């Protein structure tokens, strides 16, 4: 359903030649793909290119065989791509309930909104009518962002380190959300370092220095030594 053809991303005057170097990847409909690799390997950049936040300097991006390389974020969102940022964006001044309505594109009932909050471990009575501001903790924002993704009916969802900031929350809850999305037939790209999320994936892609170091099933060596020079066979 999604195909990256020889994607590169280069920054003029950057210290590193290419942040991403000729990445070719195919994502099938309903597939759950985990992208992992060391800090700075280009994972978030790849997610930004798929969502249209950045445009590749070389290569094409195809969504259901349609070339979307030059489409902006809004157009890609309309085509059914959703993105959960590594650092959640704060939509200041609107209520959590409003955000969930905006995300789903219609006026959902408070009960439906409550269901999405419950899925991320938040009590509706404490959050639904609360205005979003900088008083929210990082973990709360991350959960609210994930709830807004659940409210949307996207067919391709990219999660950039969904585990970030939610260490103290029962991690199994997050795993359950991903199991649910997988069951619902969503195509999922999750950037993660978490073993439990990697284990859910149909395919693992390891990035290193802007290149694909490995793609395939999760191996024991990979789990122990992701990022290690000799770890991936
Ligand atoms: N606008 C930019 N200017 C210069 N360098 C950049 C820019 N954007 C990204 N980079 C560099 O590109 C590399 C890849 O960044 P990216 O955020 O994609 O890494 P990542 O794999 O997501 O890392 P992490 O695991 O820490 O989230 C980093 O070295 C980063 O500093
Ligand atoms: Mg990142």
């Amino acid at each position: 359903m999604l195909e990256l053809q020889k994607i590169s991303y280069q920054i003029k005057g950057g210290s590193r030649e290419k942040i991403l170097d000729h990445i070719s990847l195919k994502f099938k409909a309903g597939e759950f793909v985990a992208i992992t690799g060391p800090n700075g390997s280009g994972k978030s950049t790849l997610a930004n290119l798929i969502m249209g936040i950045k445009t590749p300097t070389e290569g094409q991006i195809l969504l259901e065989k349609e070339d979307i390389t030059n489409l902006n974020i809004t157009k890609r969102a309309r085509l059914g791509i959703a993105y959960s940022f590594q650092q959640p964006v704060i939509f200041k001044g609107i209520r959590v309930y409003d955000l969930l309505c905006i995300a789903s594109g219609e006026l959902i009932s408070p009960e439906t909104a409550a269901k999405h909050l419950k899925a991320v471990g938040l009590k509706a009575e404490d959050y639904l009518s609360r205005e979003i501001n900088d008083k929210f903790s990082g973990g709360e924002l991350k959960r609210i962002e994930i709830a807004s993704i659940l409210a949307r009916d996207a067919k391709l969802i990219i999660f950039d380190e969904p585990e970030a900031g939610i260490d103290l929350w029962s991690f199994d809850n997050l795993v359950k959300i991903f199991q649910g999305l997988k069951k619902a037939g969503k195509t999922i790209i999750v950037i993660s370092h978490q073993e439990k999320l990697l284990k859910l994936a149909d395919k693992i892609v390891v990035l290193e220095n802007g290149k694909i170091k490995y793609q395939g099933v999760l191996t024991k060596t990979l789990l122990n030594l992701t990022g290690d020079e000799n770890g991936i066979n």
Side-chain angles (χ1 to χ4, degrees):
M1 75 133 13
L2 179 77
E3 192 172 345
L4 309 182
Q5 297 178 329
K6 296 184 184 157
I7 289 291
S8 294
Y9 185 71
Q10 199 159 6
I11 285 175
K12 277 185 198 141
S15 57
R16 209 163 98 193
E17 271 268 301
K18 274 180 183 163
I19 292 179
L20 288 174
D21 191 2
H22 292 94
I23 301 285
S24 293
L25 282 171
K26 280 185 184 172
F27 303 90
K28 291 185 208 144
E31 199 173 32
F32 188 125
V33 179
I35 301 179
T36 192
N39 296 136
S41 54
K43 304 178 300 294
S44 294
T45 305
L46 190 67
N48 286 338
L49 291 174
I50 297 171
M51 192 63 232
I53 295 162
K54 289 176 179 163
T55 312
T57 37
E58 274 180 88
Q60 265 81 45
I61 303 174
L62 308 183
L63 182 71
E64 276 152 0
K65 301 203 167 73
E66 186 193 340
D67 190 339
I68 60 160
T69 318
N70 295 309
L71 293 190
N72 63 25
I73 303 170
T74 317
K75 285 188 180 145
R76 291 189 205 202
R78 282 202 198 113
L79 290 174
I81 308 180
Y83 186 25
S84 167
F85 289 87
Q86 186 168 0
Q87 307 283 343
V89 181
I90 307 177
F91 296 92
K92 271 190 185 166
I94 64 165
R95 294 174 306 163
V96 172
Y97 176 56
D98 303 323
L99 177 71
L100 294 174
C101 288
I102 294 166
S104 58
E106 59 181 335
L107 198 65
I108 52 172
S109 66
E111 290 75 26
T112 305
K115 189 187 77 187
H116 296 311
L117 285 182
K118 192 173 172 230
V120 295
L122 296 178
K123 278 193 190 128
E125 55 267 38
D126 295 338
Y127 290 93
L128 216 47
S129 46
R130 205 171 139 186
E131 225 175 77
I132 303 174
N133 54 33
D134 47 19
K135 305 271 187 315
F136 278 81
S137 75
E140 284 171 332
L141 284 173
K142 191 81 184 176
R143 292 193 216 184
I144 288 164
E145 195 192 34
I146 294 172
S148 77
I149 299 272
L150 297 178
R152 264 196 68 182
D153 196 22
K155 41 186 180 186
L156 167 66
I157 316 174
I158 311 157
F159 291 93
D160 194 353
E161 298 196 24
E163 68 266 23
I166 53 164
D167 330 40
L168 296 176
W169 172 40
S170 132
F171 186 70
D172 289 343
N173 221 340
L174 189 66
V175 175
K176 265 189 209 151
I177 290 174
F178 281 94
Q179 282 166 336
L181 289 169
K182 199 175 164 179
K183 238 184 174 172
K186 304 284 183 197
T187 310
I188 301 161
I189 302 174
V190 59
I191 296 169
S192 180
H193 304 283
Q194 281 293 331
E195 185 176 328
K196 278 188 178 168
L197 291 182
L198 298 185
K199 278 184 172 162
L200 272 184
D202 301 307
K203 185 169 93 179
I204 309 283
V205 174
V206 181
L207 282 188
E208 201 178 290
N209 284 325
K211 291 190 172 131
I212 296 173
K213 190 175 183 196
Y214 171 86
Q215 63 172 310
V217 293
L218 184 63
T219 61
K220 227 176 182 176
T221 343
L222 185 56
L223 261 185
N224 295 332
L225 295 159
T226 300
D228 185 297
E229 276 299 310
N230 308 309
I232 301 145
N233 302 306

